[in-house]
Amino acid sequence: MFEKVLIANRGEIALRVLRACRELGVRTVVVHSSADADSLPVRMADETVRIGPAPSRQSYLNAAAIVEAARQTGAQAVHPGYGFLSEDADFAEICAENGLVFIGPPPQVMSALADKSTARALMSRAGLPLPPGSVRTLPTVAEALEVAAEVGYPVIVKAAAGGGGRGMTVVRSAGALPRAYARTRAAAQVAFGDDRVYVERYLTDARHVEVQVLCDGHGNGVHLGTRDCSVQRRHQKLVEEAPAPGLSVATLATLAETALRGALSVGFTGAGTVEFLVDEAERCHFLEINCRIQVEHPVTEMVTGVDLVHEQLHIAAGVPLRLRQEEIRLHGVSVECRVNVEDPDRDFAPAPGRLERFRPPGGPFTRVDTHGHPGYLVSPHYDSLLAKVAVWAPDRASALDRLERALGEFDIAGPGVRTTIPFVRRVLDDAAFRKAGHTTGLVDRLLADRAPTGAPVPAPAAPAAAANQPGTSVRRTR
Ligand code: MV4
């Protein structure tokens, strides 16, 4: 195992990785921006290095400064967390050139999978089912029209360099395609410096289901079951659960096996996520592979008992996989929600500020991953994720009840601070969601159901209102 690992991230995931390192007797170096000098991961690290000012470009995305911090401190490996440099093949390459282990797959695998069109071709070759569409990118609008006519409308134009919902446009008819095609290419050129696009049939009313895999550098791999991440707003997940509900045992097994086969076929190593869309007939369609630890990894940890960050560290250190597939058993249900400092009543606009009160939930089978604390100043410079609340229970209904209970305990308050908790509670209350009958359209439906701006907002049910505003004078007897 490594003696010292540099954590090239911030917030809750920096803490999560730090804790795994500590459990394995690995010393930690936390790099940070000026804005995070007083943050919990910095306070808890063995060593810290300030790598730049608040803006991410000059700090958490500053590869040269991170490599220099590793050199100065003698760190042997870099854990990139999620976001920032976690899926940057060039950064992985720079680490290798400087004698540092990048905790993730080899750079060539990362860059092959980062190109969604290449990923499609590779996975198709490995036998994974794809949404109908073109495997090659389409350099002319004529070819795009041809593919769209073959697969039928609606279609989705996707940037090869995109991913995670960035750089895609849904097109309902041939008349609308030329403009959407041109617009997607132009936007991709600006965002990624790469304007190649491809066309797929757009699958409506599907679920977003993903499979967690772990692969070592010796050709071994295991899958750790499925997660449903259909509850998304503008491709930001709000609620995630494991295992994916409402699917047959056969579908779940097929998803897990094909995902692992796909990952192993390209020499994937480390912790990865293979994303699928599952339609009403439970047909599965490969979307993309993510090469990082994901925000929603705790739900998989809670149903498998496997510490995914421990496994990432062992794999990166060259240790053969310590798990055999038959040892991985799924037990019960875990549901997680994200607590973002955003105002659901103002189109989820960032609502950062000083946390005058911060009291996370506790209790049985309740895990809170957060870097928040009373007095913490949430910076406007970064992602708005403040906490994740994940619960476990023997069955889905009990897990949802437990998450409701936990969210009711969460007391977060400060001037200008708002959170996504009230919105997540509407999701948990939704009848279709409760029955596991929801699709990726759930969030838009909930947002459309709301009173238009300017109209009186209906008062929420009394228990929810009271639980949402701890510290008000409302008190109910038990
Ligand atoms: C799709 C799709 C439907 N059809 N591709 C979004 C994230 C990225 N990994 C791929 N995504 C999607 N790709 C085809 N051919 C639906 C999604 C999608 C989605 C779309 C609209 C609203 C919410 C969504 C949530 C998950 C996935």
Side-chain angles (χ1 to χ4, degrees):
M1 183 43 62
F2 307 113
E3 277 160 29
K4 198 185 275 191
V5 167
L6 183 147
I7 300 169
N9 214 301
R10 63 180 303 283
E12 67 87 16
I13 196 65
L15 266 183
R16 167 73 189 87
V17 174
L18 183 146
R19 287 176 168 135
C21 289
R22 200 145 280 166
E23 287 167 6
L24 296 176
V26 175
R27 290 179 57 81
T28 52
V29 179
V30 168
V31 295
H32 65 90
S33 70
S34 311
D36 289 331
D38 189 33
S39 68
L40 278 192
V42 170
R43 287 192 217 172
M44 287 169 64
D46 295 311
E47 292 172 71
T48 62
V49 180
R50 196 192 75 91
I51 50 168
S56 306
R57 288 249 145 259
Q58 297 166 69
S59 51
Y60 298 104
L61 293 169
N62 184 346
I66 293 166
V67 168
E68 175 56 18
R71 195 195 58 76
Q72 278 173 19
T73 55
Q76 299 153 315
V78 176
H79 195 303
Y82 52 69
F84 297 125
L85 296 168
S86 62
E87 298 196 272
D88 188 321
D90 294 335
F91 177 65
E93 187 78 58
I94 292 168
C95 286
E97 285 162 11
N98 285 274
L100 288 167
V101 176
F102 175 85
I103 300 177
Q108 319 83 265
V109 174
M110 286 175 72
S111 59
L113 296 177
D115 182 331
K116 304 304 155 199
S117 155
T118 305
R120 250 172 94 77
L122 290 168
M123 292 307 127
S124 175
R125 211 172 302 161
L128 274 70
L130 306 180
S134 63
V135 168
R136 296 276 133 235
T137 53
L138 305 170
T140 66
V141 70
E143 288 163 278
L145 283 163
E146 203 176 303
V147 171
E150 273 168 36
V151 301
Y153 289 86
V155 298
I156 183 164
V157 183
K158 292 185 174 180
R166 302 192 316 145
M168 26 189 262
T169 313
V170 176
V171 184
R172 311 253 160 221
S173 66
L177 184 64
R179 288 188 63 173
Y181 172 84
R183 208 152 44 78
T184 311
R185 279 188 66 166
Q189 182 61 43
V190 171
F192 318 114
D194 175 349
D195 72 348
R196 292 170 309 127
V197 298
Y198 59 100
V199 169
E200 284 177 352
R201 165 92 189 186
Y202 181 67
L203 305 167
T204 50
D205 291 326
R207 299 185 191 200
H208 177 121
V209 178
E210 56 187 36
V211 178
Q212 177 72 55
V213 299
L214 284 171
C215 303
D216 67 15
H218 309 273
N220 309 304
V222 291
H223 55 75
L224 294 102
T226 55
R227 295 186 286 255
D228 185 298
C229 304
S230 300
V231 184
Q232 308 192 6
R233 180 189 163 273
R234 302 208 182 146
H235 307 297
Q236 289 278 35
K237 295 165 188 166
L238 293 169
V239 178
E240 304 108 338
E241 61 181 291
L247 299 178
S248 72
V249 175
T251 300
L252 293 173
T254 305
L255 279 167
E257 283 156 24
T258 58
L260 179 59
R261 176 149 39 89
L264 287 173
S265 77
V266 295
F268 185 91
T269 65
T273 298
V274 187
E275 289 184 7
F276 296 89
L277 277 177
V278 180
D279 67 21
E280 323 83 78
E282 296 198 19
R283 285 179 299 238
C284 305
H285 310 265
F286 167 80
L287 286 181
E288 54 192 79
I289 302 193
N290 300 313
C291 296
R292 57 172 194 275
I293 192 77
Q294 290 204 254
V295 175
E296 59 271 23
H297 77 277
V299 293
T300 296
E301 297 188 324
M302 290 181 95
V303 297
T304 60
V306 174
D307 185 312
L308 292 170
V309 182
H310 279 194
E311 297 313 314
Q312 284 190 296
L313 288 160
H314 280 109
I315 290 167
V319 178
L321 209 58
R322 304 165 322 151
L323 299 156
R324 285 179 307 160
Q325 190 65 61
E326 57 272 24
E327 292 169 346
I328 297 168
R329 288 228 177 67
L330 303 184
H331 187 57
V333 172
S334 180
V335 187
E336 169 183 287
C337 71
R338 301 190 187 187
V339 177
N340 295 334
V341 279
E342 292 172 359
D343 187 348
D345 291 329
R346 290 191 170 72
D347 203 26
F348 293 79
R354 176 88 56 192
L355 306 182
E356 287 180 343
R357 300 204 308 268
F358 186 82
R359 191 194 60 210
F365 308 106
T366 303
R367 167 177 170 177
V368 183
D369 285 41
T370 181
H371 55 294
H373 58 82
Y376 177 63
L377 177 63
V378 179
S379 167
H381 285 100
Y382 312 107
D383 183 284
S384 62
L385 182 71
L386 175 63
K388 306 184 300 205
V389 181
V391 300
W392 181 92
D395 59 79
R396 187 169 187 266
S398 313
L400 296 178
D401 290 344
R402 179 161 274 153
L403 187 53
E404 267 288 327
R405 185 274 301 163
L407 290 177
E409 287 178 23
F410 214 154
D411 182 13
I412 303 174
V417 174
R418 297 285 180 281
T419 78
T420 45
I421 289 176
F423 187 78
V424 164
R425 298 186 72 159
R426 290 186 56 206
V427 173
L428 300 181
D429 244 8
D430 182 76
F433 179 77
R434 276 266 160 188
K435 288 188 297 193
H438 61 293
T439 66
T440 51
L442 172 68
V443 169
D444 286 341
R445 175 168 62 73
L446 287 179
L447 291 173
D449 280 353
R450 272 217 291 207
T453 321
V457 177
N468 265 337
Q469 297 160 13
T472 62
S473 61
V474 179
R475 285 286 182 274
R476 281 166 292 123
T477 49
R478 263 152 262 270

